[in-house]
Amino acid sequence: MVSDALQRAATIVKVFVSTENTKDPRVARIIDGLRKFPAIEVEHSPLNPLVGDDPRWQGRDDRECRGAIAAADCFLAIETRGYDCSTWMAHEFDVAWKLRRERGRPLLFLSKCVDLPLPAGFRRYEDAATILPVEPDAAVAAFLGRLG
């Protein structure tokens, strides 16, 4: 079973979760589902300031964003209602996409909230990503299956 293999793995899989709303119940379930595995280390985007305060915005700059994504083995974009309107989400996906093209990692994953294409500006990112199911438990299972 993939989850057993991950729990016994000697290496840590670093996952950067790009999302504009970590308080969204679906997003929280996916992040929590990934964190159940000791071999998976999850970092995520700061909370959208329109949703609430996140002290990680203090002093956060492009260099810090790039560093976090560059350190990841996997980049998981989780679309929420405001994802495609966020320039920061587009920036994070662009950084991950360029790193993937330049050096072969991070692996790109996308869990959309609806079964419709993302807007044109996100199309190349969506085309390059492995699409995961919408439902949180199924998204986590599919993600783990791709790592196995």
Side-chain angles (χ1 to χ4, degrees):
M1 184 172 171
V2 173
S3 61
D4 292 340
L6 272 176
Q7 289 187 3
R8 290 190 307 271
T11 59
I12 299 293
V13 176
K14 294 182 178 186
V15 180
F16 185 89
V17 175
S18 174
T19 186
E20 60 87 36
N21 185 358
T22 52
K23 289 187 177 184
D24 180 274
R26 185 173 139 269
V27 171
R29 280 187 56 200
I30 292 171
I31 291 172
D32 290 346
L34 293 173
R35 285 184 170 154
K36 287 181 183 177
F37 297 91
I40 295 180
E41 185 178 291
V42 178
E43 183 172 350
H44 58 76
S45 312
L47 183 64
N48 182 332
L50 297 175
V51 176
D53 292 330
D54 189 327
R56 292 177 304 145
W57 280 116
Q58 298 297 322
R60 188 168 184 98
D61 61 15
D62 180 58
R63 196 172 56 243
E64 187 176 357
C65 171
R66 285 178 187 279
I69 295 170
D73 301 299
C74 302
F75 177 89
L76 170 55
I78 306 175
E79 180 195 22
T80 55
R81 202 168 40 94
Y83 188 90
D84 59 357
C85 297
S86 171
T87 56
W88 192 254
M89 298 302 94
H91 175 70
E92 288 181 350
F93 220 149
D94 188 62
V95 167
W97 180 79
K98 286 177 179 172
L99 285 168
R100 174 79 178 149
R101 287 184 52 198
E102 292 167 6
R103 56 183 203 154
R105 64 181 277 267
L107 298 175
L108 305 176
F109 296 89
L110 171 61
S111 178
K112 300 191 297 184
C113 60
V114 293
D115 191 23
L116 295 171
L118 292 176
F122 283 86
R123 194 70 37 88
R124 66 181 174 182
Y125 312 136
E126 182 175 1
D127 290 345
T130 298
I131 306 300
L132 301 176
V134 172
E135 197 278 320
D137 294 336
V140 171
F143 178 83
L144 295 174
R146 298 295 286 186
L147 295 183

